[in-house]
Amino acid sequence: MSAQNEAQREQWTSRLGFILAASGSAVGLGNIWRFPYVVGENGGAAFVVIYLAIILLIGYPIMMSEMVIGRKTQKNAVGAFLNMAPGAPWWVIGALGVFSGFVILSFYSVVAGWSMAYMVKALQGFTPGMDFEGMFFDHILGVSGPLVWHAIFMAITLGIIGAGVVKGIQRTVKILMPALFILLLVLAVRALTLPGAAAGVAYYLRPDFSQISADSFLTAIGQSFFTLSLGMGCMITYGSYMNKGENISDNAAWVVGLDTGIALIAGFAIFPAVFALGFDPGQGAGLAFITLPAVFASMPFGGSLFGFLFFALLSVAAVTSAISLLEVVVAWLVDEKGMPRVKASLIIGAIIFVVGIPTFPTIMGDFSFLGGDVMDTYEFFANDIALPLGGLLMSIFVGYVWTAKKAQEEINTPKGGIFVGDWFGFLIKYVVPVAIAVILVMGLYSKITG
Ligand code: TRP
């Protein structure tokens, strides 16, 4: 069974196909919904500086590690470790990843569903004086509305994954990623040309380090893993559909660069507008759904149209990421359990849909854990714990078990692209694990002691 599956294993048909798929995975709600509000809550530019340092020193080496493990083994997240370290428990990293994929996609789909619902709300018109806070809470406190959109979003996701790597994933990202770039640029130009936009730009670019705490570092590392789709074997899985002639260091640089660039531009599309129209950037998770509709409503012209374009952008970005989360789980079932792809997509899609339902505030209203609701709790375990832990274990695996030397050699084959010298070994053996461990311990301590 498994030999037959290997013979039929699909591959991206071009380098562009891979880069678009992997950057489609990376660019998502994390960039457009989460990044701006996390920046807003953590002191603007000071947080951005920490975030960029983590992306470069931790994100890039792990991105290359995941991709090269995938390309070398041509296996899913669990199978890759079984293949490289037979008889050793390193496959647990992949298993943790498959589990995180479940949890992340379950709340991801709920938020993506809000975004699709807001496309419709924008078309119905955002007008000044509307109560956008009331609108948002009415929506998320409802059951049937969010449930229907959550179901539609999961159906789209599993439809694409069921269709396969080339006909499903690659075909979708080739259409949606260019659309996403164009939408984002239109929105950034609109925001930057509003009178008073400069105050938002200043906030975004001028660091205020007094706002930074140990918690900010944990948030920054969690955000970095989340936005780059790292720590759960997503890039192992996508890398496993790469042919062995593909370059790793350049492809990883493209994905990291596109993801970071798009998050930064999303900030330019949001903060100038928020400041120009006199709103508060530290709104939290409601920034995109409460503050921005109010911002669109108070634009001198075209507010509802730009509102629609924004939520279309957010929904598109979410689809190309959600498919990568589902693919991690489906690839595991297909490779390791011999389950047909369509059946795996349907079963897992249905389970994830159900697991997402408790995040509706109305369903588990009195739940509270460390001061957060169900969605915060899912996010906390997945983003703040499972992903950094996955990254930590991967760096130990690559640096010491496989060994950095061998990893470097494999990354540099075939020749060409950014040369991966001993700096990689230094980062993956020392900087990455120590930084993650310190940030995890300090951040969790400060979180738990409040
Ligand atoms: N990176 C995506 C975002 O920013 C979310 C995502 C997709 C993800 N696949 C992942 C996060 C794997 C962590 C791990 O929205």
Side-chain angles (χ1 to χ4, degrees):
M1 188 72 210
S2 113
Q4 186 197 359
N5 277 330
E6 266 163 48
Q8 299 171 334
R9 194 176 188 80
E10 288 189 85
Q11 285 193 332
W12 312 110
T13 59
S14 65
R15 175 170 182 220
L16 183 67
F18 171 74
I19 292 180
L20 290 180
S23 57
S25 165
V27 176
L29 296 176
N31 303 59
I32 296 160
W33 167 64
R34 203 165 188 277
F35 178 74
Y37 89 71
V38 167
V39 171
E41 283 180 333
N42 287 276
F47 180 83
V48 177
V49 171
I50 297 172
Y51 168 82
L52 290 176
I54 292 180
I55 294 281
L56 210 60
L57 298 176
I58 300 178
Y60 182 55
I62 296 192
M63 179 69 78
M64 288 195 287
S65 301
E66 286 204 26
M67 286 180 182
V68 77
I69 289 173
R71 191 191 65 177
K72 177 180 161 64
T73 60
Q74 305 276 301
K75 284 277 195 304
N76 64 92
V78 176
F81 291 98
L82 285 171
N83 176 289
M84 289 182 74
W90 293 98
W91 59 269
V92 169
I93 302 176
L96 183 70
V98 169
F99 179 73
S100 310
F102 258 92
V103 177
I104 296 177
L105 185 51
S106 70
F107 72 77
Y108 205 85
S109 170
V110 173
V111 177
W114 299 347
S115 175
M116 291 200 297
Y118 265 73
M119 285 168 68
V120 176
K121 289 189 196 295
L123 285 181
Q124 289 162 347
F126 287 153
T127 48
M130 269 179 156
D131 171 16
F132 289 105
E133 193 161 359
M135 180 193 268
F136 179 62
F137 286 107
D138 276 352
H139 181 70
I140 69 166
L141 291 173
V143 173
S144 56
L147 196 70
V148 168
W149 288 110
H150 174 42
I152 293 174
F153 186 81
M154 274 314 298
I156 294 172
T157 305
L158 73 86
I160 296 169
I161 290 305
V165 173
V166 175
K167 289 205 178 116
I169 302 176
Q170 184 173 295
R171 199 170 56 178
T172 305
V173 296
K174 280 202 165 161
I175 300 167
L176 293 187
M177 291 309 284
L180 183 148
F181 294 130
I182 294 168
L183 286 174
L184 184 61
L185 289 181
V186 169
L187 288 162
V189 169
R190 179 72 195 106
L192 287 167
T193 52
L194 285 167
V201 176
Y203 168 81
Y204 194 41
L205 298 182
R206 197 178 303 137
D208 172 8
F209 283 96
S210 69
Q211 299 268 346
I212 298 295
S213 61
D215 211 21
S216 315
F217 280 86
L218 185 65
T219 307
I221 206 167
Q223 172 64 18
S224 306
F225 277 91
F226 186 79
T227 190
L228 292 174
S229 301
L230 294 180
M232 54 157 281
C234 202
M235 293 299 169
I236 295 180
T237 307
Y238 271 20
S240 76
Y241 304 121
M242 229 193 283
N243 77 57
K244 303 234 173 175
E246 278 291 344
N247 174 288
I248 297 285
S249 55
D250 277 6
N251 283 354
W254 269 104
V255 175
V256 170
L258 282 169
D259 184 75
T260 307
I262 287 178
L264 294 175
I265 298 173
F268 279 114
I270 291 176
F271 291 116
V274 168
F275 275 84
L277 301 163
F279 292 89
D280 167 21
Q283 257 283 339
L287 182 64
F289 294 101
I290 299 171
T291 312
L292 287 187
V295 167
F296 291 124
S298 41
M299 280 183 177
F301 67 91
S304 298
L305 173 66
F306 287 106
F308 170 77
L309 293 179
F310 174 80
F311 289 106
L313 167 74
L314 195 58
S315 306
V316 163
V319 170
T320 60
S321 298
I323 55 181
S324 73
L325 288 159
L326 186 56
E327 180 63 22
V328 170
V329 187
V330 167
W332 164 65
L333 283 174
V334 171
D335 288 356
E336 303 300 312
K337 308 289 169 201
M339 193 184 280
R341 171 171 273 277
V342 172
K343 183 176 168 195
S345 310
L346 279 169
I347 294 178
I348 300 304
I351 298 176
I352 290 176
F353 170 71
V354 173
V355 174
I357 295 174
T359 65
F360 292 21
T362 304
I363 306 240
M364 301 258 295
D366 40 13
F367 176 93
S368 167
F369 178 78
L370 291 178
D373 58 15
V374 177
M375 190 170 298
D376 295 330
T377 306
Y378 281 18
E379 272 192 81
F380 172 66
F381 278 108
N383 302 3
D384 296 351
I385 300 183
L387 299 180
L389 188 63
L392 174 66
L393 294 173
M394 275 183 215
S395 67
I396 294 172
F397 177 79
V398 170
Y400 300 93
V401 180
W402 185 17
T403 72
K405 274 270 166 288
K406 283 197 199 144
Q408 270 166 241
E409 226 176 87
E410 182 78 26
I411 292 172
N412 288 322
T413 315
K415 285 202 173 54
I418 300 169
F419 180 72
V420 176
D422 288 339
W423 56 266
F424 172 80
F426 178 71
L427 291 176
I428 209 80
K429 281 165 75 174
Y430 309 110
V431 177
V432 172
V434 171
I436 298 178
V438 169
I439 295 174
L440 253 182
V441 170
M442 281 177 25
L444 289 181
Y445 178 80
S446 102
K447 181 122 192 169
I448 289 162
T449 56

Short mmCIF file of all heavy atoms in Angstrom, two decimals, residues 188-215:
data_model
loop_
_atom_site.label_atom_id
_atom_site.label_comp_id
_atom_site.label_asym_id
_atom_site.label_seq_id
_atom_site.Cartn_x
_atom_site.Cartn_y
_atom_site.Cartn_z
N ALA A 188 -3.58 49.53 0.83
CA ALA A 188 -2.51 50.32 1.44
C ALA A 188 -2.48 51.71 0.82
O ALA A 188 -2.32 52.72 1.53
CB ALA A 188 -1.16 49.62 1.27
N VAL A 189 -2.65 51.80 -0.49
CA VAL A 189 -2.64 53.12 -1.15
C VAL A 189 -3.81 53.95 -0.63
O VAL A 189 -3.66 55.13 -0.28
CB VAL A 189 -2.72 52.96 -2.69
CG1 VAL A 189 -3.00 54.30 -3.35
CG2 VAL A 189 -1.43 52.36 -3.21
N ARG A 190 -4.98 53.32 -0.48
CA ARG A 190 -6.14 54.05 0.04
C ARG A 190 -5.86 54.61 1.44
O ARG A 190 -6.14 55.76 1.74
CB ARG A 190 -7.36 53.12 0.10
CG ARG A 190 -8.60 53.78 0.64
CD ARG A 190 -9.15 54.74 -0.40
NE ARG A 190 -10.13 55.67 0.13
CZ ARG A 190 -9.90 56.95 0.36
NH1 ARG A 190 -8.71 57.46 0.16
NH2 ARG A 190 -10.86 57.74 0.79
N ALA A 191 -5.26 53.76 2.31
CA ALA A 191 -5.03 54.18 3.70
C ALA A 191 -4.00 55.30 3.75
O ALA A 191 -4.16 56.30 4.46
CB ALA A 191 -4.57 53.00 4.54
N LEU A 192 -2.91 55.15 2.98
CA LEU A 192 -1.82 56.12 3.06
C LEU A 192 -2.20 57.46 2.44
O LEU A 192 -1.55 58.47 2.72
CB LEU A 192 -0.57 55.55 2.36
CG LEU A 192 0.12 54.43 3.16
CD1 LEU A 192 1.14 53.69 2.28
CD2 LEU A 192 0.81 54.97 4.41
N THR A 193 -3.23 57.51 1.62
CA THR A 193 -3.61 58.78 1.00
C THR A 193 -4.73 59.47 1.76
O THR A 193 -5.21 60.51 1.33
CB THR A 193 -4.02 58.58 -0.47
OG1 THR A 193 -5.02 57.54 -0.52
CG2 THR A 193 -2.84 58.18 -1.34
N LEU A 194 -5.14 58.91 2.91
CA LEU A 194 -6.14 59.61 3.72
C LEU A 194 -5.48 60.78 4.43
O LEU A 194 -4.34 60.66 4.89
CB LEU A 194 -6.74 58.66 4.78
CG LEU A 194 -7.72 57.62 4.29
CD1 LEU A 194 -7.97 56.57 5.38
CD2 LEU A 194 -9.05 58.25 3.88
N PRO A 195 -6.17 61.92 4.56
CA PRO A 195 -5.57 63.02 5.31
C PRO A 195 -5.33 62.59 6.76
O PRO A 195 -6.20 61.98 7.38
CB PRO A 195 -6.63 64.14 5.23
CG PRO A 195 -7.82 63.57 4.55
CD PRO A 195 -7.49 62.22 4.01
N GLY A 196 -4.14 62.85 7.29
CA GLY A 196 -3.84 62.47 8.68
C GLY A 196 -3.21 61.10 8.81
O GLY A 196 -2.99 60.60 9.92
N ALA A 197 -2.90 60.46 7.69
CA ALA A 197 -2.33 59.11 7.72
C ALA A 197 -0.96 59.07 8.41
O ALA A 197 -0.57 58.05 8.97
CB ALA A 197 -2.22 58.56 6.30
N ALA A 198 -0.24 60.19 8.39
CA ALA A 198 1.14 60.20 8.89
C ALA A 198 1.25 59.78 10.36
O ALA A 198 2.23 59.14 10.75
CB ALA A 198 1.76 61.58 8.70
N ALA A 199 0.25 60.11 11.18
CA ALA A 199 0.32 59.74 12.60
C ALA A 199 0.39 58.22 12.75
O ALA A 199 1.11 57.70 13.61
CB ALA A 199 -0.89 60.29 13.34
N GLY A 200 -0.33 57.50 11.91
CA GLY A 200 -0.32 56.04 11.96
C GLY A 200 1.02 55.50 11.52
O GLY A 200 1.54 54.54 12.10
N VAL A 201 1.60 56.12 10.51
CA VAL A 201 2.91 55.68 10.02
C VAL A 201 3.95 55.89 11.12
O VAL A 201 4.77 55.01 11.39
CB VAL A 201 3.31 56.45 8.74
CG1 VAL A 201 4.72 56.07 8.30
CG2 VAL A 201 2.31 56.16 7.63
N ALA A 202 3.87 57.03 11.81
CA ALA A 202 4.83 57.33 12.88
C ALA A 202 4.71 56.30 14.00
O ALA A 202 5.71 55.78 14.50
CB ALA A 202 4.59 58.74 13.42
N TYR A 203 3.48 56.01 14.40
CA TYR A 203 3.25 55.02 15.45
C TYR A 203 3.87 53.69 15.07
O TYR A 203 4.48 53.00 15.88
CB TYR A 203 1.73 54.86 15.64
CG TYR A 203 1.34 53.68 16.47
CD1 TYR A 203 1.38 53.75 17.87
CD2 TYR A 203 0.92 52.50 15.87
CE1 TYR A 203 1.01 52.66 18.63
CE2 TYR A 203 0.55 51.41 16.63
CZ TYR A 203 0.60 51.49 18.01
OH TYR A 203 0.24 50.42 18.77
N TYR A 204 3.71 53.35 13.83
CA TYR A 204 4.14 52.06 13.30
C TYR A 204 5.66 51.99 13.20
O TYR A 204 6.25 50.92 13.35
CB TYR A 204 3.49 51.90 11.94
CG TYR A 204 3.52 50.53 11.34
CD1 TYR A 204 3.28 49.40 12.10
CD2 TYR A 204 3.76 50.37 9.97
CE1 TYR A 204 3.28 48.15 11.52
CE2 TYR A 204 3.76 49.13 9.39
CZ TYR A 204 3.53 48.02 10.16
OH TYR A 204 3.53 46.79 9.58
N LEU A 205 6.30 53.12 12.96
CA LEU A 205 7.74 53.11 12.72
C LEU A 205 8.59 53.59 13.89
O LEU A 205 9.79 53.39 13.90
CB LEU A 205 8.08 53.97 11.48
CG LEU A 205 7.48 53.48 10.16
CD1 LEU A 205 7.91 54.36 9.00
CD2 LEU A 205 7.87 52.02 9.87
N ARG A 206 7.97 54.23 14.90
CA ARG A 206 8.78 54.78 16.00
C ARG A 206 8.68 53.86 17.23
O ARG A 206 7.61 53.73 17.83
CB ARG A 206 8.31 56.19 16.35
CG ARG A 206 9.34 56.96 17.16
CD ARG A 206 8.87 58.40 17.46
NE ARG A 206 8.56 59.17 16.27
CZ ARG A 206 7.48 59.98 16.15
NH1 ARG A 206 6.62 60.08 17.12
NH2 ARG A 206 7.29 60.66 15.04
N PRO A 207 9.78 53.21 17.62
CA PRO A 207 9.70 52.22 18.71
C PRO A 207 9.51 52.84 20.10
O PRO A 207 10.14 53.85 20.42
CB PRO A 207 11.05 51.50 18.64
CG PRO A 207 11.91 52.24 17.71
CD PRO A 207 11.13 53.29 17.02
N ASP A 208 8.66 52.23 20.90
CA ASP A 208 8.49 52.64 22.29
C ASP A 208 8.76 51.40 23.15
O ASP A 208 7.87 50.59 23.40
CB ASP A 208 7.05 53.15 22.52
CG ASP A 208 6.76 53.41 23.99
OD1 ASP A 208 7.71 53.35 24.81
OD2 ASP A 208 5.59 53.67 24.32
N PHE A 209 10.05 51.27 23.59
CA PHE A 209 10.43 50.03 24.26
C PHE A 209 9.85 49.89 25.67
O PHE A 209 9.91 48.84 26.27
CB PHE A 209 11.96 49.87 24.26
CG PHE A 209 12.48 49.42 22.92
CD1 PHE A 209 12.96 50.32 22.00
CD2 PHE A 209 12.43 48.07 22.57
CE1 PHE A 209 13.40 49.91 20.75
CE2 PHE A 209 12.87 47.64 21.32
CZ PHE A 209 13.36 48.57 20.41
N SER A 210 9.22 50.95 26.18
CA SER A 210 8.63 50.84 27.52
C SER A 210 7.41 49.91 27.52
O SER A 210 6.98 49.44 28.56
CB SER A 210 8.22 52.23 28.01
OG SER A 210 7.13 52.70 27.24
N GLN A 211 6.86 49.63 26.34
CA GLN A 211 5.68 48.77 26.25
C GLN A 211 6.04 47.28 26.23
O GLN A 211 5.17 46.42 26.17
CB GLN A 211 4.91 49.06 24.95
CG GLN A 211 4.40 50.47 24.83
CD GLN A 211 2.99 50.58 25.36
OE1 GLN A 211 2.32 49.58 25.56
NE2 GLN A 211 2.54 51.79 25.61
N ILE A 212 7.34 46.97 26.21
CA ILE A 212 7.79 45.60 26.00
C ILE A 212 7.99 44.87 27.33
O ILE A 212 8.61 45.38 28.24
CB ILE A 212 9.12 45.59 25.21
CG1 ILE A 212 8.91 46.23 23.83
CG2 ILE A 212 9.68 44.19 25.09
CD1 ILE A 212 8.00 45.48 22.92
N SER A 213 7.43 43.64 27.44
CA SER A 213 7.61 42.81 28.63
C SER A 213 8.00 41.40 28.18
O SER A 213 8.08 41.15 26.98
CB SER A 213 6.28 42.74 29.38
OG SER A 213 5.32 42.13 28.53
N ALA A 214 8.22 40.49 29.15
CA ALA A 214 8.56 39.11 28.80
C ALA A 214 7.43 38.51 27.97
O ALA A 214 7.64 37.73 27.04
CB ALA A 214 8.76 38.27 30.06
N ASP A 215 6.23 38.92 28.30
CA ASP A 215 5.06 38.47 27.58
C ASP A 215 5.13 38.87 26.10
O ASP A 215 4.69 38.13 25.22
CB ASP A 215 3.83 39.10 28.25
CG ASP A 215 2.62 38.22 28.14
OD1 ASP A 215 2.81 37.00 27.94
OD2 ASP A 215 1.50 38.75 28.26
#
